[in-house]
Amino acid sequence: MKRALIAVAFLSSALVLWADADRPARGVARLSVLNGDVSIRRGDSGDLIAGAVNGPLVVSDRLLTGPASRAEAQFDYANMIRLWSLTEVRFAELEYGRYTVQVARGTVTYRVLRDSQAEVEVNTPNLSVRPLKKGTYRITVTEDGTTEVTVRAGEADIFTPRGSE
């Protein structure tokens, strides 16, 4: 009887591990550069803390820059985002190979340094930008809520309520 219980316990834990292997791995971005007043609003608690180099950024965290401040967050070896002054972004999805960032206000520069298999999406209040390959993508949410996108290098799909380009 004892052997049967041990075997059942072993099989149960193996099934749990196998089920977890099917889920995408949760990721963590890191704050790689900061200059000036940079804050993080934690998504789980709502606490506002000062940004620190190599500090972790997890799902639902918000990264905020003050006047004349800048910050940079790295997702992996190939993807990073730079925030200009007076910018706020939220990390909506950070899974292995899948990153979604929401820009509430300000200007960001998203860079794909090397071609990778990562699926990236940068959302604003009125459109979504999906970089397709190595390049530099500048996205600005203006005071009146409109979005300006500049593809300096690379190629991106842009989705709006009116269609895609």
Side-chain angles (χ1 to χ4, degrees), residues 29-35 38 52-55 57 63 65 69-76 79-84 89 91 109 111 113:
R30 79 177 182 94
L31 188 57
S32 54
V33 174
L34 60 94
N35 183 4
V38 177
V53 173
N54 289 326
L57 299 163
L63 184 59
T65 56
S69 301
R70 301 195 189 237
E72 177 183 282
Q74 292 182 336
F75 299 97
D76 59 17
N79 294 278
M80 61 181 268
I81 191 166
R82 288 186 178 152
L83 284 69
W84 296 41
V89 300
F91 298 92
T109 300
R111 291 197 59 206
L113 303 170

Side-chain angles (χ1 to χ4, degrees), residues 25-32 55 57-59 61 63 71-83 89-103 108-113 116 118-122 131:
R26 289 287 177 192
V28 176
R30 79 177 182 94
L31 188 57
S32 54
L57 299 163
V58 296
V59 170
D61 282 354
L63 184 59
E72 177 183 282
Q74 292 182 336
F75 299 97
D76 59 17
Y77 69 94
N79 294 278
M80 61 181 268
I81 191 166
R82 288 186 178 152
L83 284 69
V89 300
R90 178 178 174 268
F91 298 92
E93 188 172 15
L94 293 172
E95 295 179 357
Y96 180 74
R98 184 161 175 77
Y99 313 115
T100 303
V101 179
Q102 298 168 332
V103 182
V108 300
T109 300
Y110 193 92
R111 291 197 59 206
V112 180
L113 303 170
S116 72
E119 296 176 25
V120 177
E121 189 169 313
V122 180

